[in-house]
Amino acid sequence: MSTAPPDAGGRRRWQALGVGLVAAFMTLLDVSIVNVAVPSMDRALHASPSDLQWVLSGYALTFGLILVSAGRFGDAHGRRTAFVVGVALFTLTSALAGLARSPGWLVAARLLQGAAAGVVNPQVTGLVQQLFRGSERGRAFGLLGATIGISTAVGPLLGGLLIHLGGEQHGWRWVFFVNVPVGIVAVLLGWRLLPTRPTGQPDRHRLDPVGVLLLGVGVVLLLLPLVQREQWQSPWKWALVPAGLVVLAGFGFWEHRYARRRTPLFDLRLFTLRSYTLGTLIALVYFGGFTAIFFIFTLYLQNGLGYSALVAGLAITPFALGSALASAVGGRIVNRFGRPLVGIGLIVVVIGLGAVVFMLRGTPSGSVPLLTAVPLLLAGLGSGLVIAPNQTLTLSEVPVPQAGSAAGMLQTGQRIGSAAGIAAVGALFFSSLSSTGGQWSIAFRHSLLLATGIIALALVAAVVDVARSHRVRPRASAPSDSP
């Protein structure tokens, strides 16, 4: 018997997707919107550098920690329940963050807010897998890709605008309060519009607690030294990375054994699908370069050149606009062009970022936001042809009952890639700044070249996939002697 909603062929599917996209936008926006609010928080709460670092990085840490487990829960028990609970918790913790009276209060609220975001996001991707097929699925992922691109890039602009309107002392609170009315509406509409049951028979088995523990510990060990790179000065922190890899290897061994008896937290057989494995690798590497760009560009504009938070946000807007436009188009045409479309997008991103480096050579003689507007627009157009099409292709062969956990693992890779990329590119940025005696332009160019090089590695993976596909296709189409 079908488990789709009664009018799954009509507008209800797109309405449900719209609710999911709004929730995804909120949760992903809070990754970057807080960056420009740090000085205002510092003045209002007298927070230490360690407190401020936890406000920024704690969200990403708990976000990445919960993704796979939340996706598995949605697969097993229905995405509506997980989505509504996640959005409700996100709304509540946003309000608590906005009401914070001490640094500890704010840090605790941000940790819980990140966990709530981790509950919501795999449900949105799983929803697309569940409700859409064929070209419609590509269109839906195109809209999701546009949401990811816009939310990541527009965060500094929206944050700067809210702080400008709310005042330097308390404007940062509106960065959190703005989520509250939107979250309440999303909870009500999500309960009404999202499918009530999982696809297939409900899975009554427990959710693999050992697997949850091993994956959680492994992700924390990997992410903690990356997100605390500035405040945790001891070199011993990097010993956690190999320890995390060992724990994740143990997770893989456990899941392989557990799958013989029950449904595992994550089915490792998904990695036998080339589309899923290559797509996850491309996403991990691309987010390592893509997210770091906004981190160093905001630092360069505000701390180096003295631009306001609002102007710094406006400077990134061309990238967001290009990404939104190309994501919508890419989602519609990905089924026709496949992985080569992702490769083309990566080439355009590399060209656009290379143009930014060229425009800022020497000492920039004009307004940096104006000089970089067209190159960033070009890079954004390329990014839109990467994120949405790659997500569509990565999940194209994943069975719908495993869509949530598969999406959770894909997004966990994105979070790890983002943290690693910001750590590497940020380290080069600050070391260049120190070695050049405070030459912000040089530090920015050097670190942007590294971010571009990381993105070029994703391009190599895409080219390898395209080349292998061309070699396999002639064999697949050769006539067979068997009846």
Side-chain angles (χ1 to χ4, degrees):
M1 183 168 65
S2 172
T3 58
D7 58 348
R11 289 185 303 170
R12 190 183 183 102
R13 291 176 305 148
W14 294 100
Q15 292 170 343
L17 176 64
V19 175
L21 294 181
V22 169
F25 181 84
M26 276 199 312
T27 58
L28 293 170
L29 184 72
D30 269 54
V31 175
S32 61
I33 194 174
V34 177
N35 289 331
V36 297
V38 166
S40 181
M41 292 175 188
D42 189 13
R43 285 189 292 270
L45 300 178
H46 307 291
S48 69
S50 178
D51 293 327
L52 294 174
Q53 182 65 27
W54 271 107
V55 169
L56 294 174
S57 61
Y59 183 89
L61 182 67
T62 52
F63 193 148
L65 177 64
I66 204 82
L67 283 164
V68 177
S69 303
R72 171 76 180 95
F73 181 89
D75 289 338
H77 298 284
R79 296 188 176 93
R80 185 177 75 169
T81 300
F83 177 87
V84 169
V85 170
V87 175
L89 180 59
F90 185 84
T91 304
L92 175 62
T93 52
S94 294
L96 290 174
L99 293 169
R101 293 293 180 266
S102 68
W105 179 340
L106 182 58
V107 169
R110 281 288 283 175
L111 291 171
L112 291 172
Q113 191 188 31
V119 172
V120 172
N121 275 270
Q123 316 311 327
V124 179
T125 310
L127 188 70
V128 174
Q129 290 283 94
Q130 181 174 340
L131 295 183
F132 299 94
R133 298 289 183 274
S135 61
E136 282 194 331
R137 181 179 288 179
R139 287 175 57 197
F141 272 127
L143 294 172
L144 179 57
T147 300
I148 295 170
I150 294 173
S151 62
T152 304
V154 84
L157 170 60
L158 185 55
L161 181 61
L162 289 171
I163 292 169
H164 177 74
L165 294 175
E168 287 293 322
Q169 183 68 16
H170 295 292
W172 65 271
R173 297 184 186 276
W174 291 101
V175 168
F176 300 110
F177 285 148
V178 73
N179 293 327
V180 175
V182 180
I184 291 172
V185 173
V187 166
L188 296 175
L189 292 179
W191 186 260
R192 178 171 176 265
L193 294 172
L194 266 63
T196 58
R197 291 193 292 154
T199 298
Q201 292 300 315
D203 184 351
R204 301 301 182 190
H205 292 160
R206 59 182 182 172
L207 293 178
D208 186 6
V210 175
V212 170
L213 178 64
L214 288 173
L215 180 61
V217 171
V219 169
V220 168
L221 290 176
L222 277 182
L223 286 178
L224 190 59
L226 296 174
V227 300
Q228 285 288 293
R229 66 195 178 282
E230 293 298 321
Q231 299 306 318
W232 191 0
Q233 298 297 326
S234 170
W236 286 103
K237 66 187 175 189
W238 300 115
L240 296 183
V241 174
L245 294 175
V246 170
V247 174
L248 290 179
F251 166 74
F253 177 74
W254 169 262
E255 292 297 281
H256 179 71
R257 291 191 59 190
Y258 191 85
R260 298 173 185 171
R261 296 174 285 120
R262 295 183 176 180
T263 303
L265 175 66
F266 178 79
D267 192 341
L268 295 175
R269 289 175 296 182
L270 289 174
F271 285 124
T272 64
L273 303 173
R274 196 180 75 187
S275 59
Y276 185 77
T277 303
L278 263 294
T280 301
L281 176 63
I282 290 171
L284 184 151
V285 177
Y286 179 70
F287 271 75
F290 159 71
T291 313
I293 294 166
F294 307 112
F295 171 68
I296 59 173
F297 195 40
T298 302
L299 281 176
Y300 173 50
L301 291 174
Q302 289 187 259
N303 297 0
L305 302 181
Y307 287 103
S308 68
L310 182 58
V311 173
L314 285 169
I316 300 172
T317 302
F319 189 102
L321 293 175
S323 179
L325 177 63
S327 290
V329 174
R332 291 175 179 271
I333 64 176
V334 62
N335 289 327
R336 189 188 318 166
F337 295 99
R339 191 73 70 188
L341 182 65
V342 177
I344 291 170
L346 289 165
I347 291 171
V348 175
V349 173
V350 170
I351 292 173
L353 296 179
V356 173
V357 174
F358 178 79
M359 296 300 293
L360 298 181
R361 68 195 184 282
T363 302
S365 56
S367 168
V368 169
L370 291 178
L371 288 173
T372 58
V374 173
L376 284 177
L377 175 64
L378 181 63
L381 290 169
S383 184
L385 297 179
V386 175
I387 296 176
N390 184 65
Q391 189 156 261
T392 304
L393 295 168
T394 302
L395 299 175
S396 61
E397 298 179 88
V398 173
V400 172
Q402 296 171 295
S405 58
M409 187 62 76
L410 173 62
Q411 292 176 29
T412 300
Q414 292 172 355
R415 300 276 73 78
I416 292 173
S418 295
I422 290 174
V425 174
L428 178 60
F429 182 87
F430 290 115
S431 65
S432 296
L433 194 61
S434 176
S435 64
T436 59
Q439 295 292 318
W440 287 86
S441 295
I442 295 175
F444 176 67
R445 290 201 306 274
H446 287 174
S447 53
L448 183 58
L449 282 172
L450 176 59
T452 306
I454 294 171
I455 292 172
L457 292 177
L459 174 59
V460 171
V463 169
V464 168
D465 187 35
V466 172
R468 289 184 62 185
S469 296
H470 279 294
R471 283 200 301 268
V472 170
R473 194 171 296 136
R475 291 186 211 143
S477 59
S480 172
D481 292 331
S482 59

